[in-house]
């Protein structure tokens, strides 16, 4: 996958914008997109993650938040490009995703998908 121009999307990112976007679009985006975003959100909080990798995370989350992207979020399949950006970032930081990060992410995920089956997360788990 081509490198993401993170600078353009870093301006879009903030913790509150990220959580608001998830709240508004969780069901439409689907569990894998939301899980990928939450994993990155939790990884970014780890102090041992290098700033270069945090910039990639912020860029990917900013892309997810941005109202305009390659495929508009309002159309069916509109989150495919968002998942691509998130998957790219996951690939870069997967070594920082430990059991604790997965547990925290799944706890947050239950806010929007209370009865999800962990098998539903296989789309993201294959990147880890």
């Amino acid at each position: 996958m081509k490198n993401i121009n993170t600078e353009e999307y870093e301006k879009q990112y903030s913790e509150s914008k990220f959580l608001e976007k998830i709240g508004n679009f969780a069901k439409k985006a689907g569990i894998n997109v939301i899980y990928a975003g939450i994993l990155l959100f939790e990884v970014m909080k780890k102090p041992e993650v290098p700033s270069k990798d945090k910039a990639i995370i912020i860029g990917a989350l900013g892309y997810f938040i941005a109202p305009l992207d390659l495929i508009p979020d309002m159309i069916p399949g509109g989150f495919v490009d968002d998942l691509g950006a998130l998957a790219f970032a996951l690939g870069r930081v997967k070594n920082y995703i430990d059991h604790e990060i997965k547990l925290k992410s799944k706890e947050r995920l239950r806010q929007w998908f209370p009865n999800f089956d962990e098998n539903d997360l296989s789309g993201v788990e294959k990147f880890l």
Side-chain angles (χ1 to χ4, degrees), residues 2-126:
K2 187 177 175 183
N3 285 342
I4 297 172
N5 180 0
T6 60
E7 292 176 20
E8 182 179 336
Y9 297 105
E10 286 175 6
K11 297 173 193 159
Q12 295 289 327
Y13 177 77
S14 75
E15 183 173 331
S16 61
K17 283 183 183 178
F18 173 69
L19 294 173
E20 180 181 341
K21 174 88 177 209
I22 285 181
N24 291 335
F25 289 95
K27 300 292 185 201
K28 185 173 175 118
I31 195 166
N32 282 292
V33 172
I34 302 304
Y35 183 52
I38 294 170
L39 283 167
L40 292 169
F41 178 74
E42 293 296 337
V43 167
M44 194 171 54
K45 295 177 185 179
K46 293 180 92 168
E48 65 268 25
V49 176
S51 57
K52 179 180 173 186
D53 289 336
K54 287 183 180 186
I56 290 170
I57 292 170
I58 289 171
L61 294 178
Y63 185 85
F64 172 70
I65 294 166
L68 298 174
D69 50 27
L70 291 175
I71 303 172
D73 296 340
M74 295 304 191
I75 66 169
F79 288 94
V80 171
D81 59 324
D82 298 271
L83 183 56
L86 297 171
F88 173 79
L90 281 173
R92 289 291 302 242
V93 300
K94 66 183 177 184
N95 294 335
Y96 298 101
I97 299 174
D98 54 24
H99 183 69
E100 182 181 340
I101 292 292
K102 287 181 180 181
L103 282 178
K104 284 181 184 179
S105 298
K106 289 173 185 176
E107 286 174 23
R108 280 189 180 269
L109 196 60
R110 290 195 192 288
Q111 293 175 25
W112 301 285
F113 301 93
N115 300 312
F116 76 88
D117 181 337
E118 294 211 15
N119 291 321
D120 296 338
L121 306 178
S122 62
V124 172
E125 292 285 333
K126 68 182 176 190

